[in-house]
Amino acid sequence: MEVLSIKDGNVRNYYLNKCIMDNLTVRSLREEIKSNSYERLINKPKNIELIILKKEYTILEDMKNPIIIKIDKNKMINNEKDLELTILSEITFVLTQLGRGFAFIGNQYKINNYYIDILLFNIELNCYVVVELKIRKLKVEDKAQVEMYMKLVDENIKKATQNKTMGIIISKEQDKFVVSFIKSDTLIPLTYELINK
């Protein structure tokens, strides 16, 4: 309402952009207008375009289904360590399959007396991502285990400027591996396909 009375489109766009960029309250906007913030600019742009905010990135934007892990055709996955080594041998490819902004932090990452199978960080989401590996069907307690790891990361290594940790569980369903993302109380199942190189 405050900016509607401003007839000059350039000036109006300046104040609208200030609201968007600086998250101004109505009171702060009124103070900006009253103090002639635009008029006091040393270099006034000739044509001020309205800023269009980029929508917040969500993991679902780049998620692939199925997600593919390449495995050597001569290699058998008999236990979680085999699966971990397979993922680590193709870590760059696996990270691109998960989506944008994933970075590898470490494997068998120790926090207190617990070991996280794989710890990642997502730059786009500004959060750690805990990965738990299972070579069996997903059980209810698996989600609780990953949530405990997420809490450990939040309490011990997450910085105040970072978002809450997410979790991923990779479990085996028949002849496929299923990736489930955990964010808060949500579980998003996806299928992983193991393909031979």
Side-chain angles (χ1 to χ4, degrees), residues 28-78:
S28 299
L29 174 61
R30 284 178 186 150
E31 288 171 11
E32 287 287 326
I33 293 169
K34 188 176 180 182
S35 71
N36 293 317
S37 176
Y38 174 80
E39 288 74 13
R40 291 184 292 119
L41 286 175
I42 294 170
N43 295 316
K44 293 180 185 69
K46 300 236 184 283
N47 186 19
I48 299 174
E49 297 283 325
L50 255 182
I51 293 171
I52 298 170
L53 279 182
K54 181 180 177 262
K55 68 181 175 64
E56 190 176 321
Y57 176 75
T58 66
I59 199 85
L60 296 170
E61 282 180 37
D62 288 325
M63 206 177 271
K64 295 169 182 72
N65 191 5
I67 296 170
I68 298 168
I69 301 177
K70 296 178 188 173
I71 60 164
D72 190 311
K73 59 183 167 190
N74 301 320
K75 198 174 207 172
M76 294 294 293
I77 295 179
N78 298 316

Short mmCIF file of all heavy atoms in Angstrom, two decimals, residues 28-78:
data_model
loop_
_atom_site.label_atom_id
_atom_site.label_comp_id
_atom_site.label_asym_id
_atom_site.label_seq_id
_atom_site.Cartn_x
_atom_site.Cartn_y
_atom_site.Cartn_z
N SER A 28 9.45 0.20 8.69
CA SER A 28 10.78 0.46 8.12
C SER A 28 10.66 1.05 6.72
O SER A 28 11.43 1.94 6.34
CB SER A 28 11.61 -0.82 8.06
OG SER A 28 11.80 -1.34 9.35
N LEU A 29 9.70 0.54 5.94
CA LEU A 29 9.47 1.07 4.59
C LEU A 29 9.07 2.54 4.66
O LEU A 29 9.58 3.38 3.90
CB LEU A 29 8.41 0.25 3.86
CG LEU A 29 7.98 0.78 2.49
CD1 LEU A 29 9.16 0.83 1.52
CD2 LEU A 29 6.85 -0.06 1.92
N ARG A 30 8.17 2.86 5.58
CA ARG A 30 7.73 4.26 5.74
C ARG A 30 8.92 5.15 6.07
O ARG A 30 9.04 6.27 5.56
CB ARG A 30 6.68 4.36 6.85
CG ARG A 30 5.32 3.87 6.42
CD ARG A 30 4.33 3.94 7.56
NE ARG A 30 3.07 3.33 7.16
CZ ARG A 30 2.23 2.73 8.00
NH1 ARG A 30 2.51 2.67 9.29
NH2 ARG A 30 1.12 2.21 7.55
N GLU A 31 9.82 4.66 6.94
CA GLU A 31 11.01 5.44 7.31
C GLU A 31 11.93 5.65 6.11
O GLU A 31 12.48 6.73 5.93
CB GLU A 31 11.77 4.74 8.45
CG GLU A 31 11.05 4.83 9.78
CD GLU A 31 11.69 3.96 10.86
OE1 GLU A 31 12.81 3.43 10.65
OE2 GLU A 31 11.05 3.80 11.91
N GLU A 32 12.07 4.60 5.28
CA GLU A 32 12.89 4.71 4.07
C GLU A 32 12.32 5.78 3.13
O GLU A 32 13.06 6.60 2.60
CB GLU A 32 12.95 3.37 3.33
CG GLU A 32 13.82 2.33 3.99
CD GLU A 32 15.30 2.60 3.86
OE1 GLU A 32 15.75 3.14 2.85
OE2 GLU A 32 16.02 2.26 4.82
N ILE A 33 11.00 5.75 2.95
CA ILE A 33 10.35 6.71 2.05
C ILE A 33 10.46 8.12 2.64
O ILE A 33 10.81 9.08 1.93
CB ILE A 33 8.87 6.33 1.80
CG1 ILE A 33 8.81 5.01 1.00
CG2 ILE A 33 8.13 7.44 1.07
CD1 ILE A 33 7.42 4.38 0.90
N LYS A 34 10.18 8.25 3.93
CA LYS A 34 10.22 9.55 4.60
C LYS A 34 11.62 10.16 4.58
O LYS A 34 11.78 11.38 4.43
CB LYS A 34 9.74 9.38 6.05
CG LYS A 34 9.55 10.69 6.78
CD LYS A 34 8.98 10.46 8.15
CE LYS A 34 8.80 11.79 8.87
NZ LYS A 34 8.31 11.61 10.22
N SER A 35 12.63 9.30 4.67
CA SER A 35 14.01 9.81 4.67
C SER A 35 14.56 10.01 3.25
O SER A 35 15.74 10.32 3.09
CB SER A 35 14.93 8.86 5.44
OG SER A 35 15.12 7.66 4.71
N ASN A 36 13.68 9.85 2.24
CA ASN A 36 14.08 10.04 0.84
C ASN A 36 15.28 9.17 0.45
O ASN A 36 16.24 9.64 -0.16
CB ASN A 36 14.38 11.52 0.54
CG ASN A 36 13.13 12.37 0.63
OD1 ASN A 36 12.08 11.98 0.16
ND2 ASN A 36 13.26 13.52 1.27
N SER A 37 15.19 7.93 0.81
CA SER A 37 16.26 6.97 0.55
C SER A 37 16.65 6.95 -0.94
O SER A 37 17.84 6.98 -1.28
CB SER A 37 15.82 5.58 1.00
OG SER A 37 16.78 4.62 0.70
N TYR A 38 15.67 6.94 -1.83
CA TYR A 38 15.96 6.91 -3.27
C TYR A 38 16.63 8.21 -3.72
O TYR A 38 17.63 8.20 -4.42
CB TYR A 38 14.68 6.68 -4.08
CG TYR A 38 14.91 6.77 -5.57
CD1 TYR A 38 15.46 5.71 -6.27
CD2 TYR A 38 14.61 7.94 -6.26
CE1 TYR A 38 15.70 5.81 -7.64
CE2 TYR A 38 14.84 8.06 -7.63
CZ TYR A 38 15.39 6.98 -8.31
OH TYR A 38 15.63 7.07 -9.66
N GLU A 39 16.06 9.32 -3.29
CA GLU A 39 16.55 10.62 -3.71
C GLU A 39 18.00 10.85 -3.25
O GLU A 39 18.75 11.60 -3.88
CB GLU A 39 15.65 11.74 -3.18
CG GLU A 39 14.29 11.84 -3.86
CD GLU A 39 13.30 10.75 -3.46
OE1 GLU A 39 13.55 10.02 -2.46
OE2 GLU A 39 12.29 10.61 -4.16
N ARG A 40 18.40 10.23 -2.16
CA ARG A 40 19.74 10.41 -1.62
C ARG A 40 20.78 9.51 -2.29
O ARG A 40 21.96 9.61 -1.98
CB ARG A 40 19.74 10.16 -0.11
CG ARG A 40 19.00 11.25 0.66
CD ARG A 40 19.07 11.08 2.17
NE ARG A 40 18.34 9.91 2.62
CZ ARG A 40 18.88 8.86 3.26
NH1 ARG A 40 20.16 8.83 3.53
NH2 ARG A 40 18.13 7.85 3.63
N LEU A 41 20.34 8.64 -3.19
CA LEU A 41 21.30 7.79 -3.91
C LEU A 41 22.25 8.64 -4.72
O LEU A 41 21.82 9.57 -5.42
CB LEU A 41 20.57 6.83 -4.86
CG LEU A 41 19.83 5.65 -4.26
CD1 LEU A 41 19.09 4.89 -5.36
CD2 LEU A 41 20.77 4.71 -3.53
N ILE A 42 23.54 8.35 -4.65
CA ILE A 42 24.52 9.10 -5.42
C ILE A 42 24.37 8.76 -6.90
O ILE A 42 24.33 9.65 -7.74
CB ILE A 42 25.95 8.80 -4.91
CG1 ILE A 42 26.11 9.32 -3.49
CG2 ILE A 42 27.00 9.42 -5.84
CD1 ILE A 42 27.37 8.89 -2.80
N ASN A 43 24.31 7.48 -7.21
CA ASN A 43 24.13 7.02 -8.59
C ASN A 43 22.76 6.39 -8.72
O ASN A 43 22.57 5.24 -8.33
CB ASN A 43 25.21 6.01 -8.99
CG ASN A 43 26.59 6.62 -9.02
OD1 ASN A 43 26.76 7.72 -9.54
ND2 ASN A 43 27.55 5.91 -8.47
N LYS A 44 21.82 7.15 -9.25
CA LYS A 44 20.46 6.61 -9.41
C LYS A 44 20.40 5.81 -10.72
O LYS A 44 20.67 6.37 -11.78
CB LYS A 44 19.43 7.73 -9.43
CG LYS A 44 19.31 8.46 -8.12
CD LYS A 44 18.27 9.57 -8.24
CE LYS A 44 18.21 10.38 -6.99
NZ LYS A 44 19.39 11.21 -6.73
N PRO A 45 20.05 4.52 -10.64
CA PRO A 45 19.91 3.75 -11.88
C PRO A 45 18.80 4.32 -12.75
O PRO A 45 17.79 4.81 -12.26
CB PRO A 45 19.53 2.35 -11.39
CG PRO A 45 19.84 2.33 -9.93
CD PRO A 45 19.77 3.74 -9.46
N LYS A 46 19.02 4.29 -14.07
CA LYS A 46 18.05 4.85 -15.01
C LYS A 46 16.77 4.02 -15.09
O LYS A 46 15.68 4.55 -15.21
CB LYS A 46 18.68 4.96 -16.40
CG LYS A 46 19.91 5.84 -16.44
CD LYS A 46 19.75 6.93 -17.45
CE LYS A 46 20.98 7.78 -17.60
NZ LYS A 46 21.21 8.72 -16.59
N ASN A 47 16.93 2.69 -15.04
CA ASN A 47 15.76 1.82 -15.18
C ASN A 47 15.87 0.69 -14.16
O ASN A 47 16.60 -0.28 -14.37
CB ASN A 47 15.68 1.27 -16.61
CG ASN A 47 14.40 0.49 -16.83
OD1 ASN A 47 13.44 0.63 -16.09
ND2 ASN A 47 14.40 -0.35 -17.84
N ILE A 48 15.16 0.82 -13.05
CA ILE A 48 15.23 -0.19 -11.99
C ILE A 48 14.20 -1.29 -12.28
O ILE A 48 13.01 -1.02 -12.35
CB ILE A 48 14.99 0.43 -10.60
CG1 ILE A 48 16.06 1.48 -10.30
CG2 ILE A 48 14.97 -0.65 -9.53
CD1 ILE A 48 15.83 2.26 -9.02
N GLU A 49 14.71 -2.50 -12.45
CA GLU A 49 13.84 -3.66 -12.68
C GLU A 49 13.43 -4.24 -11.33
O GLU A 49 14.21 -4.22 -10.38
CB GLU A 49 14.58 -4.74 -13.48
CG GLU A 49 15.00 -4.31 -14.87
CD GLU A 49 13.86 -4.32 -15.85
OE1 GLU A 49 12.97 -5.19 -15.73
OE2 GLU A 49 13.84 -3.45 -16.74
N LEU A 50 12.23 -4.77 -11.28
CA LEU A 50 11.79 -5.45 -10.06
C LEU A 50 12.55 -6.75 -9.88
O LEU A 50 12.75 -7.50 -10.84
CB LEU A 50 10.29 -5.78 -10.16
CG LEU A 50 9.34 -4.92 -9.34
CD1 LEU A 50 7.92 -5.41 -9.51
CD2 LEU A 50 9.70 -4.82 -7.90
N ILE A 51 12.99 -7.01 -8.68
CA ILE A 51 13.71 -8.25 -8.37
C ILE A 51 12.69 -9.38 -8.30
O ILE A 51 11.66 -9.27 -7.65
CB ILE A 51 14.45 -8.13 -7.02
CG1 ILE A 51 15.56 -7.11 -7.13
CG2 ILE A 51 14.98 -9.48 -6.57
CD1 ILE A 51 16.20 -6.76 -5.80
N ILE A 52 13.03 -10.47 -8.97
CA ILE A 52 12.18 -11.66 -8.84
C ILE A 52 12.96 -12.63 -7.98
O ILE A 52 14.06 -13.05 -8.33
CB ILE A 52 11.88 -12.28 -10.22
CG1 ILE A 52 11.11 -11.27 -11.07
CG2 ILE A 52 11.12 -13.58 -10.08
CD1 ILE A 52 10.95 -11.66 -12.51
N LEU A 53 12.39 -12.95 -6.83
CA LEU A 53 13.07 -13.85 -5.91
C LEU A 53 13.10 -15.27 -6.46
O LEU A 53 12.10 -15.78 -6.93
CB LEU A 53 12.36 -13.88 -4.55
CG LEU A 53 12.68 -12.73 -3.62
CD1 LEU A 53 11.94 -12.93 -2.31
CD2 LEU A 53 14.16 -12.61 -3.34
N LYS A 54 14.28 -15.89 -6.37
CA LYS A 54 14.42 -17.29 -6.75
C LYS A 54 13.73 -18.11 -5.67
O LYS A 54 13.94 -17.89 -4.49
CB LYS A 54 15.90 -17.65 -6.82
CG LYS A 54 16.16 -19.06 -7.23
CD LYS A 54 17.66 -19.30 -7.26
CE LYS A 54 17.94 -20.74 -7.62
NZ LYS A 54 18.20 -21.57 -6.51
N LYS A 55 12.89 -19.04 -6.09
CA LYS A 55 12.22 -19.85 -5.09
C LYS A 55 13.22 -20.72 -4.36
O LYS A 55 14.28 -21.05 -4.89
CB LYS A 55 11.11 -20.70 -5.71
CG LYS A 55 11.56 -21.80 -6.63
CD LYS A 55 10.32 -22.50 -7.17
CE LYS A 55 10.64 -23.55 -8.18
NZ LYS A 55 11.38 -24.67 -7.76
N GLU A 56 12.91 -21.05 -3.14
CA GLU A 56 13.81 -21.84 -2.33
C GLU A 56 14.02 -23.22 -2.95
O GLU A 56 13.09 -23.86 -3.41
CB GLU A 56 13.21 -21.99 -0.92
CG GLU A 56 14.16 -22.59 0.06
CD GLU A 56 13.57 -22.64 1.45
OE1 GLU A 56 12.88 -21.69 1.85
OE2 GLU A 56 13.81 -23.64 2.12
N TYR A 57 15.27 -23.63 -2.97
CA TYR A 57 15.62 -24.94 -3.54
C TYR A 57 15.11 -26.04 -2.63
O TYR A 57 15.25 -25.98 -1.42
CB TYR A 57 17.14 -25.03 -3.68
CG TYR A 57 17.63 -26.38 -4.16
CD1 TYR A 57 17.48 -26.75 -5.48
CD2 TYR A 57 18.21 -27.28 -3.27
CE1 TYR A 57 17.92 -27.98 -5.92
CE2 TYR A 57 18.65 -28.51 -3.70
CZ TYR A 57 18.50 -28.85 -5.03
OH TYR A 57 18.94 -30.08 -5.46
N THR A 58 14.50 -27.04 -3.23
CA THR A 58 14.11 -28.22 -2.46
C THR A 58 14.78 -29.42 -3.08
O THR A 58 15.06 -29.44 -4.28
CB THR A 58 12.58 -28.45 -2.46
OG1 THR A 58 12.18 -28.76 -3.79
CG2 THR A 58 11.83 -27.25 -1.94
N ILE A 59 15.03 -30.41 -2.29
CA ILE A 59 15.71 -31.62 -2.74
C ILE A 59 14.94 -32.30 -3.88
O ILE A 59 15.52 -32.95 -4.74
CB ILE A 59 15.91 -32.59 -1.54
CG1 ILE A 59 16.98 -33.62 -1.85
CG2 ILE A 59 14.67 -33.28 -1.12
CD1 ILE A 59 18.35 -33.17 -1.59
N LEU A 60 13.63 -32.11 -3.91
CA LEU A 60 12.80 -32.77 -4.92
C LEU A 60 13.03 -32.23 -6.33
O LEU A 60 12.71 -32.90 -7.30
CB LEU A 60 11.32 -32.64 -4.55
CG LEU A 60 10.90 -33.34 -3.26
CD1 LEU A 60 9.50 -32.94 -2.86
CD2 LEU A 60 10.99 -34.84 -3.42
N GLU A 61 13.58 -31.02 -6.45
CA GLU A 61 13.78 -30.41 -7.76
C GLU A 61 14.69 -31.24 -8.66
O GLU A 61 14.45 -31.35 -9.85
CB GLU A 61 14.39 -29.01 -7.62
CG GLU A 61 13.40 -27.97 -7.22
CD GLU A 61 14.05 -26.61 -7.09
OE1 GLU A 61 14.96 -26.27 -7.87
OE2 GLU A 61 13.64 -25.88 -6.18
N ASP A 62 15.77 -31.75 -8.10
CA ASP A 62 16.77 -32.47 -8.90
C ASP A 62 16.78 -33.96 -8.66
O ASP A 62 17.62 -34.68 -9.18
CB ASP A 62 18.17 -31.93 -8.58
CG ASP A 62 18.38 -30.56 -9.14
OD1 ASP A 62 17.85 -30.29 -10.23
OD2 ASP A 62 19.06 -29.75 -8.50
N MET A 63 15.87 -34.42 -7.83
CA MET A 63 15.86 -35.83 -7.47
C MET A 63 15.53 -36.70 -8.67
O MET A 63 14.62 -36.38 -9.43
CB MET A 63 14.81 -36.02 -6.37
CG MET A 63 15.06 -37.19 -5.50
SD MET A 63 13.79 -37.23 -4.23
CE MET A 63 14.54 -36.22 -2.99
N LYS A 64 16.28 -37.76 -8.82
CA LYS A 64 16.02 -38.70 -9.91
C LYS A 64 15.39 -39.95 -9.33
O LYS A 64 15.67 -40.32 -8.20
CB LYS A 64 17.33 -39.04 -10.62
CG LYS A 64 17.94 -37.84 -11.32
CD LYS A 64 19.35 -38.15 -11.78
CE LYS A 64 19.99 -36.96 -12.43
NZ LYS A 64 20.35 -35.90 -11.52
N ASN A 65 14.53 -40.58 -10.09
CA ASN A 65 13.90 -41.81 -9.63
C ASN A 65 13.74 -42.73 -10.83
O ASN A 65 12.98 -42.41 -11.73
CB ASN A 65 12.54 -41.50 -9.00
CG ASN A 65 11.96 -42.69 -8.27
OD1 ASN A 65 12.59 -43.72 -8.15
ND2 ASN A 65 10.76 -42.54 -7.78
N PRO A 66 14.45 -43.83 -10.95
CA PRO A 66 15.37 -44.37 -9.93
C PRO A 66 16.72 -43.66 -9.94
O PRO A 66 17.11 -43.06 -10.92
CB PRO A 66 15.55 -45.82 -10.36
CG PRO A 66 15.38 -45.80 -11.84
CD PRO A 66 14.36 -44.72 -12.11
N ILE A 67 17.41 -43.75 -8.81
CA ILE A 67 18.78 -43.29 -8.69
C ILE A 67 19.65 -44.50 -9.01
O ILE A 67 19.36 -45.60 -8.57
CB ILE A 67 19.05 -42.75 -7.28
CG1 ILE A 67 18.17 -41.52 -7.03
CG2 ILE A 67 20.51 -42.42 -7.09
CD1 ILE A 67 18.18 -41.05 -5.61
N ILE A 68 20.70 -44.29 -9.77
CA ILE A 68 21.50 -45.42 -10.23
C ILE A 68 22.86 -45.43 -9.55
O ILE A 68 23.52 -44.40 -9.44
CB ILE A 68 21.69 -45.33 -11.77
CG1 ILE A 68 20.33 -45.41 -12.47
CG2 ILE A 68 22.64 -46.41 -12.26
CD1 ILE A 68 20.37 -45.05 -13.94
N ILE A 69 23.27 -46.60 -9.08
CA ILE A 69 24.63 -46.81 -8.59
C ILE A 69 25.26 -47.82 -9.52
O ILE A 69 24.71 -48.89 -9.74
CB ILE A 69 24.65 -47.38 -7.15
CG1 ILE A 69 23.95 -46.46 -6.17
CG2 ILE A 69 26.08 -47.61 -6.70
CD1 ILE A 69 23.87 -47.02 -4.77
N LYS A 70 26.41 -47.47 -10.08
CA LYS A 70 27.11 -48.41 -10.94
C LYS A 70 27.90 -49.39 -10.08
O LYS A 70 28.59 -48.97 -9.16
CB LYS A 70 28.08 -47.66 -11.86
CG LYS A 70 27.43 -46.73 -12.84
CD LYS A 70 28.49 -46.02 -13.65
CE LYS A 70 27.90 -44.93 -14.51
NZ LYS A 70 28.93 -44.14 -15.17
N ILE A 71 27.79 -50.67 -10.39
CA ILE A 71 28.60 -51.66 -9.67
C ILE A 71 29.32 -52.54 -10.68
O ILE A 71 28.83 -52.77 -11.78
CB ILE A 71 27.77 -52.53 -8.70
CG1 ILE A 71 26.69 -53.32 -9.45
CG2 ILE A 71 27.19 -51.74 -7.58
CD1 ILE A 71 26.10 -54.45 -8.65
N ASP A 72 30.46 -53.00 -10.28
CA ASP A 72 31.23 -53.92 -11.11
C ASP A 72 30.45 -55.22 -11.20
O ASP A 72 30.00 -55.76 -10.19
CB ASP A 72 32.60 -54.14 -10.46
CG ASP A 72 33.54 -54.88 -11.38
OD1 ASP A 72 33.14 -55.93 -11.93
OD2 ASP A 72 34.68 -54.40 -11.54
N LYS A 73 30.29 -55.75 -12.43
CA LYS A 73 29.47 -56.96 -12.61
C LYS A 73 30.05 -58.18 -11.90
O LYS A 73 29.35 -59.15 -11.64
CB LYS A 73 29.22 -57.24 -14.08
CG LYS A 73 30.45 -57.46 -14.91
CD LYS A 73 30.07 -57.65 -16.36
CE LYS A 73 31.31 -57.55 -17.25
NZ LYS A 73 30.97 -57.48 -18.63
N ASN A 74 31.33 -58.13 -11.57
CA ASN A 74 31.97 -59.24 -10.85
C ASN A 74 31.90 -59.08 -9.34
O ASN A 74 32.41 -59.92 -8.60
CB ASN A 74 33.43 -59.38 -11.29
CG ASN A 74 33.55 -59.61 -12.79
OD1 ASN A 74 32.75 -60.35 -13.37
ND2 ASN A 74 34.52 -58.97 -13.41
N LYS A 75 31.30 -57.99 -8.90
CA LYS A 75 31.28 -57.68 -7.47
C LYS A 75 29.94 -58.06 -6.84
O LYS A 75 28.89 -57.74 -7.40
CB LYS A 75 31.54 -56.19 -7.28
CG LYS A 75 31.97 -55.81 -5.89
CD LYS A 75 32.34 -54.34 -5.88
CE LYS A 75 33.34 -54.10 -4.77
NZ LYS A 75 33.89 -52.77 -4.82
N MET A 76 29.99 -58.72 -5.71
CA MET A 76 28.78 -59.07 -4.97
C MET A 76 28.65 -58.14 -3.77
O MET A 76 29.65 -57.81 -3.14
CB MET A 76 28.85 -60.52 -4.48
CG MET A 76 28.84 -61.56 -5.58
SD MET A 76 27.28 -61.60 -6.48
CE MET A 76 26.18 -62.22 -5.24
N ILE A 77 27.41 -57.75 -3.48
CA ILE A 77 27.16 -56.95 -2.28
C ILE A 77 26.54 -57.87 -1.25
O ILE A 77 25.36 -58.19 -1.31
CB ILE A 77 26.27 -55.74 -2.60
CG1 ILE A 77 27.01 -54.80 -3.55
CG2 ILE A 77 25.89 -55.00 -1.32
CD1 ILE A 77 26.27 -53.58 -3.97
N ASN A 78 27.37 -58.32 -0.32
CA ASN A 78 26.92 -59.27 0.71
C ASN A 78 26.61 -58.61 2.04
O ASN A 78 25.92 -59.18 2.86
CB ASN A 78 27.99 -60.35 0.92
CG ASN A 78 28.23 -61.16 -0.35
OD1 ASN A 78 27.28 -61.55 -1.03
ND2 ASN A 78 29.49 -61.37 -0.68
#
